[in-house]
Amino acid sequence: MRFSRLAGIAGIGFVAILVAANLLLTAAGFPTPSERASVEEIAAVYATGAGSLRLASALLPAAWLLATVFAVGVCARLGRSERGGVDPWSLVGLAGVLMQSVVFTSVEATRLALMSAAEDGSGDVAGLWGLHTALFGFNQVFLATALVGFSMAGVRNGVIARWHAVIGFLAAVLLFVTATTSPYGVGDTNPLALLGLVGWLLWLVWIVAYSVTLIRHAPEPSASTTGADTASAGT
Protein backbone atom coordinates (compact mmCIF):
# COMPACT_ATOMS: atom_id res chain seq x y z
CA MET A 1 0.00 0.00 0.00
CA ARG A 2 1.26 3.47 -0.90
CA PHE A 3 2.10 5.55 2.18
CA SER A 4 -0.21 8.30 0.93
CA ARG A 5 -3.19 5.91 1.07
CA LEU A 6 -2.10 4.64 4.48
CA ALA A 7 -1.92 8.24 5.73
CA GLY A 8 -5.42 8.89 4.40
CA ILE A 9 -6.78 5.88 6.27
CA ALA A 10 -4.90 7.07 9.38
CA GLY A 11 -6.57 10.49 9.12
CA ILE A 12 -10.04 8.96 8.97
CA GLY A 13 -9.15 6.65 11.87
CA PHE A 14 -7.96 9.66 13.88
CA VAL A 15 -11.29 11.44 13.38
CA ALA A 16 -13.25 8.28 14.25
CA ILE A 17 -11.37 7.86 17.54
CA LEU A 18 -11.83 11.51 18.48
CA VAL A 19 -15.57 11.32 17.82
CA ALA A 20 -15.87 8.06 19.81
CA ALA A 21 -13.90 9.45 22.77
CA ASN A 22 -15.96 12.64 22.88
CA LEU A 23 -19.22 10.70 22.66
CA LEU A 24 -18.11 8.60 25.63
CA LEU A 25 -17.38 11.70 27.71
CA THR A 26 -20.56 13.49 26.64
CA ALA A 27 -22.73 10.45 27.46
CA ALA A 28 -21.12 10.31 30.92
CA GLY A 29 -22.00 13.95 31.54
CA PHE A 30 -18.49 15.42 31.60
CA PRO A 31 -18.57 19.23 31.39
CA THR A 32 -16.73 20.98 28.60
CA PRO A 33 -14.28 23.78 29.43
CA SER A 34 -16.84 26.30 28.13
CA GLU A 35 -19.53 25.17 30.60
CA ARG A 36 -19.99 26.94 33.89
CA ALA A 37 -19.97 24.34 36.67
CA SER A 38 -19.25 24.45 40.39
CA VAL A 39 -16.27 22.64 41.87
CA GLU A 40 -18.66 20.19 43.54
CA GLU A 41 -20.36 19.37 40.23
CA ILE A 42 -17.01 18.86 38.49
CA ALA A 43 -15.74 16.62 41.29
CA ALA A 44 -18.94 14.56 41.23
CA VAL A 45 -18.79 13.95 37.49
CA TYR A 46 -15.11 13.00 37.54
CA ALA A 47 -15.66 10.64 40.46
CA THR A 48 -18.70 8.86 39.01
CA GLY A 49 -17.54 8.84 35.37
CA ALA A 50 -14.07 7.44 35.98
CA GLY A 51 -14.74 4.35 33.84
CA SER A 52 -15.75 6.39 30.79
CA LEU A 53 -12.80 8.74 31.22
CA ARG A 54 -10.32 5.86 31.47
CA LEU A 55 -11.75 4.23 28.33
CA ALA A 56 -11.72 7.51 26.37
CA SER A 57 -8.15 8.20 27.51
CA ALA A 58 -7.05 4.69 26.52
CA LEU A 59 -8.16 5.40 22.93
CA LEU A 60 -6.11 8.56 22.55
CA PRO A 61 -2.57 7.12 22.19
CA ALA A 62 -3.76 5.42 18.99
CA ALA A 63 -5.28 8.73 17.87
CA TRP A 64 -2.00 10.59 18.34
CA LEU A 65 -0.12 7.91 16.42
CA LEU A 66 -2.61 8.08 13.56
CA ALA A 67 -2.44 11.89 13.54
CA THR A 68 1.33 11.72 13.12
CA VAL A 69 1.07 9.25 10.23
CA PHE A 70 -1.57 11.47 8.60
CA ALA A 71 0.56 14.62 8.96
CA VAL A 72 3.69 12.98 7.55
CA GLY A 73 1.61 11.57 4.69
CA VAL A 74 0.33 15.05 3.85
CA CYS A 75 3.90 16.40 3.84
CA ALA A 76 5.04 13.56 1.57
CA ARG A 77 2.11 14.12 -0.80
CA LEU A 78 2.79 17.83 -1.04
CA GLY A 79 6.31 17.05 -2.15
CA ARG A 80 8.57 19.86 -3.17
CA SER A 81 7.92 23.54 -3.68
CA GLU A 82 8.52 25.40 -6.95
CA ARG A 83 12.08 26.24 -5.84
CA GLY A 84 13.00 22.62 -5.37
CA GLY A 85 13.00 22.63 -1.55
CA VAL A 86 10.47 21.41 0.95
CA ASP A 87 7.43 23.69 0.95
CA PRO A 88 7.79 25.62 4.24
CA TRP A 89 4.00 25.76 4.68
CA SER A 90 3.86 21.97 4.88
CA LEU A 91 6.39 22.10 7.73
CA VAL A 92 4.19 24.65 9.51
CA GLY A 93 1.30 22.18 9.22
CA LEU A 94 3.39 19.28 10.48
CA ALA A 95 4.59 21.34 13.46
CA GLY A 96 0.98 22.21 14.30
CA VAL A 97 -0.13 18.56 14.34
CA LEU A 98 2.81 17.47 16.46
CA MET A 99 2.36 20.32 18.95
CA GLN A 100 -1.38 19.70 19.34
CA SER A 101 -0.62 16.07 20.17
CA VAL A 102 1.89 17.14 22.82
CA VAL A 103 -0.39 19.73 24.39
CA PHE A 104 -3.46 17.52 24.32
CA THR A 105 -1.46 14.82 26.08
CA SER A 106 -1.16 17.34 28.91
CA VAL A 107 -4.91 18.01 28.72
CA GLU A 108 -5.68 14.33 29.09
CA ALA A 109 -3.14 13.86 31.87
CA THR A 110 -4.80 16.74 33.75
CA ARG A 111 -8.20 15.07 33.30
CA LEU A 112 -6.85 11.87 34.85
CA ALA A 113 -5.34 13.87 37.73
CA LEU A 114 -8.75 15.49 38.23
CA MET A 115 -10.36 12.04 38.33
CA SER A 116 -7.88 10.84 40.94
CA ALA A 117 -8.38 13.97 43.09
CA ALA A 118 -12.17 13.67 42.84
CA GLU A 119 -12.19 9.95 43.70
CA ASP A 120 -10.15 10.16 46.91
CA GLY A 121 -11.17 13.68 47.89
CA SER A 122 -7.61 14.97 47.95
CA GLY A 123 -5.94 17.51 45.74
CA ASP A 124 -7.03 20.84 44.34
CA VAL A 125 -9.97 20.09 42.02
CA ALA A 126 -10.53 23.77 41.25
CA GLY A 127 -6.88 24.34 40.39
CA LEU A 128 -6.68 21.23 38.20
CA TRP A 129 -9.88 22.21 36.40
CA GLY A 130 -8.43 25.67 35.73
CA LEU A 131 -5.25 24.11 34.35
CA HIS A 132 -7.30 21.76 32.18
CA THR A 133 -9.38 24.64 30.83
CA ALA A 134 -6.31 26.74 30.03
CA LEU A 135 -4.48 23.91 28.26
CA PHE A 136 -7.60 22.95 26.33
CA GLY A 137 -8.09 26.53 25.18
CA PHE A 138 -4.50 27.22 24.19
CA ASN A 139 -4.29 23.90 22.33
CA GLN A 140 -6.60 25.34 19.69
CA VAL A 141 -3.83 27.58 18.38
CA PHE A 142 -1.92 24.47 17.27
CA LEU A 143 -4.98 23.14 15.47
CA ALA A 144 -5.12 26.51 13.70
CA THR A 145 -1.42 26.23 12.84
CA ALA A 146 -1.92 22.82 11.25
CA LEU A 147 -4.94 24.05 9.29
CA VAL A 148 -3.14 27.12 7.93
CA GLY A 149 0.06 25.27 7.04
CA PHE A 150 -1.47 22.29 5.26
CA SER A 151 -4.22 24.36 3.60
CA MET A 152 -1.75 26.89 2.24
CA ALA A 153 0.68 24.22 1.03
CA GLY A 154 -2.13 22.10 -0.39
CA VAL A 155 -3.68 24.85 -2.49
CA ARG A 156 -0.28 26.22 -3.59
CA ASN A 157 0.75 22.80 -4.90
CA GLY A 158 -2.62 21.92 -6.42
CA VAL A 159 -3.25 19.02 -4.05
CA ILE A 160 -6.53 20.28 -2.57
CA ALA A 161 -9.39 22.33 -4.01
CA ARG A 162 -9.99 25.96 -3.09
CA TRP A 163 -13.20 25.13 -1.17
CA HIS A 164 -11.19 22.70 0.95
CA ALA A 165 -8.59 25.37 1.71
CA VAL A 166 -11.35 27.88 2.55
CA ILE A 167 -12.77 25.45 5.13
CA GLY A 168 -9.29 25.11 6.61
CA PHE A 169 -8.69 28.86 6.82
CA LEU A 170 -12.15 29.51 8.29
CA ALA A 171 -11.67 26.83 10.94
CA ALA A 172 -8.21 28.23 11.73
CA VAL A 173 -9.62 31.73 12.30
CA LEU A 174 -12.35 30.45 14.61
CA LEU A 175 -9.92 28.30 16.61
CA PHE A 176 -7.31 31.06 16.86
CA VAL A 177 -9.88 33.57 18.11
CA THR A 178 -11.09 31.10 20.73
CA ALA A 179 -7.52 30.32 21.81
CA THR A 180 -6.78 34.04 22.17
CA THR A 181 -9.83 34.57 24.39
CA SER A 182 -9.36 31.33 26.37
CA PRO A 183 -7.89 33.11 29.47
CA TYR A 184 -11.35 34.62 30.02
CA GLY A 185 -12.78 31.10 30.25
CA VAL A 186 -10.61 30.12 33.22
CA GLY A 187 -12.83 30.42 36.26
CA ASP A 188 -15.60 31.80 34.07
CA THR A 189 -17.25 31.18 30.69
CA ASN A 190 -15.51 32.17 27.46
CA PRO A 191 -18.15 34.10 25.50
CA LEU A 192 -16.62 32.91 22.21
CA ALA A 193 -16.34 29.24 23.14
CA LEU A 194 -19.02 28.28 20.61
CA LEU A 195 -16.77 29.56 17.83
CA GLY A 196 -14.15 27.05 18.96
CA LEU A 197 -16.66 24.21 18.76
CA VAL A 198 -17.61 25.20 15.21
CA GLY A 199 -13.93 25.46 14.30
CA TRP A 200 -13.25 22.03 15.78
CA LEU A 201 -16.10 20.45 13.79
CA LEU A 202 -14.82 22.12 10.59
CA TRP A 203 -11.35 20.79 11.46
CA LEU A 204 -12.73 17.23 11.51
CA VAL A 205 -14.42 17.77 8.14
CA TRP A 206 -11.17 19.22 6.78
CA ILE A 207 -9.18 16.17 7.93
CA VAL A 208 -11.65 13.72 6.37
CA ALA A 209 -11.57 15.66 3.09
CA TYR A 210 -7.74 15.67 3.11
CA SER A 211 -7.73 11.96 3.92
CA VAL A 212 -10.02 11.18 0.98
CA THR A 213 -7.68 13.19 -1.26
CA LEU A 214 -4.70 11.18 -0.04
CA ILE A 215 -6.51 7.88 -0.66
CA ARG A 216 -7.94 8.75 -4.08
CA HIS A 217 -4.96 10.57 -5.52
CA ALA A 218 -2.00 8.65 -4.15
CA PRO A 219 0.94 9.11 -6.54
CA GLU A 220 1.83 6.07 -8.62
CA PRO A 221 5.43 4.80 -8.68
CA SER A 222 7.52 6.56 -11.30
CA ALA A 223 8.78 4.76 -14.38
CA SER A 224 12.37 5.02 -13.21
CA THR A 225 11.49 3.49 -9.85
CA THR A 226 9.55 0.68 -11.50
CA GLY A 227 12.45 -0.03 -13.87
CA ALA A 228 14.92 -0.06 -11.02
CA ASP A 229 12.73 -2.49 -9.05
CA THR A 230 12.43 -4.75 -12.11
CA ALA A 231 16.16 -4.73 -12.70
CA SER A 232 16.82 -5.44 -9.03
CA ALA A 233 14.39 -8.37 -9.10
CA GLY A 234 16.13 -9.83 -12.14
CA THR A 235 19.58 -9.91 -10.58
Side-chain angles (χ1 to χ4, degrees), residues 36-100:
R36 192 177 185 88
S38 66
V39 174
E40 292 75 18
E41 291 171 332
I42 293 169
V45 171
Y46 272 85
T48 59
S52 296
L53 178 59
R54 285 192 173 95
L55 179 56
S57 300
L59 295 174
L60 292 180
W64 296 322
L65 173 61
L66 293 175
T68 303
V69 173
F70 166 76
V72 173
V74 172
C75 281
R77 179 66 182 86
L78 291 172
R80 303 282 176 173
S81 68
E82 65 277 3
R83 296 185 178 182
V86 176
D87 190 322
W89 283 110
S90 68
L91 298 182
V92 172
L94 177 60
V97 172
L98 296 179
M99 283 303 300
Q100 73 86 26

Side-chain angles (χ1 to χ4, degrees), residues 1-227:
M1 181 183 292
R2 294 287 157 201
F3 187 79
S4 182
R5 291 194 179 96
L6 180 63
I9 295 170
I12 293 173
F14 171 65
V15 171
I17 291 175
L18 284 189
V19 171
N22 279 278
L23 287 176
L24 278 170
L25 296 179
T26 301
F30 280 86
T32 65
S34 62
E35 292 181 29
R36 192 177 185 88
S38 66
V39 174
E40 292 75 18
E41 291 171 332
I42 293 169
V45 171
Y46 272 85
T48 59
S52 296
L53 178 59
R54 285 192 173 95
L55 179 56
S57 300
L59 295 174
L60 292 180
W64 296 322
L65 173 61
L66 293 175
T68 303
V69 173
F70 166 76
V72 173
V74 172
C75 281
R77 179 66 182 86
L78 291 172
R80 303 282 176 173
S81 68
E82 65 277 3
R83 296 185 178 182
V86 176
D87 190 322
W89 283 110
S90 68
L91 298 182
V92 172
L94 177 60
V97 172
L98 296 179
M99 283 303 300
Q100 73 86 26
S101 293
V102 171
V103 175
F104 207 79
T105 301
S106 301
V107 172
E108 206 59 29
T110 306
R111 283 176 175 169
L112 293 173
L114 261 169
M115 178 194 70
S116 178
E119 283 183 322
D120 60 20
S122 64
D124 183 4
V125 172
L128 288 171
W129 178 249
L131 176 61
H132 165 265
T133 302
L135 287 170
F136 190 93
F138 285 137
N139 180 60
Q140 294 172 99
V141 73
F142 301 115
L143 303 184
T145 302
L147 285 160
V148 169
F150 282 150
S151 295
M152 184 68 75
V155 78
R156 274 162 47 96
N157 291 280
V159 174
I160 63 174
R162 288 187 179 276
W163 65 264
H164 189 182
V166 168
I167 288 177
F169 293 137
L170 176 59
V173 170
L174 295 176
L175 289 166
F176 189 84
V177 168
T178 310
T180 303
T181 59
S182 62
Y184 296 97
V186 178
D188 205 338
T189 301
N190 184 348
L192 300 180
L194 184 59
L195 296 182
L197 175 60
V198 175
W200 183 77
L201 293 173
L202 288 176
W203 178 61
L204 297 184
V205 172
W206 177 89
I207 292 176
V208 171
Y210 228 127
S211 298
V212 171
T213 298
L214 293 176
I215 294 170
R216 293 181 59 188
H217 304 290
E220 297 299 328
S222 64
S224 59
T225 302
T226 304

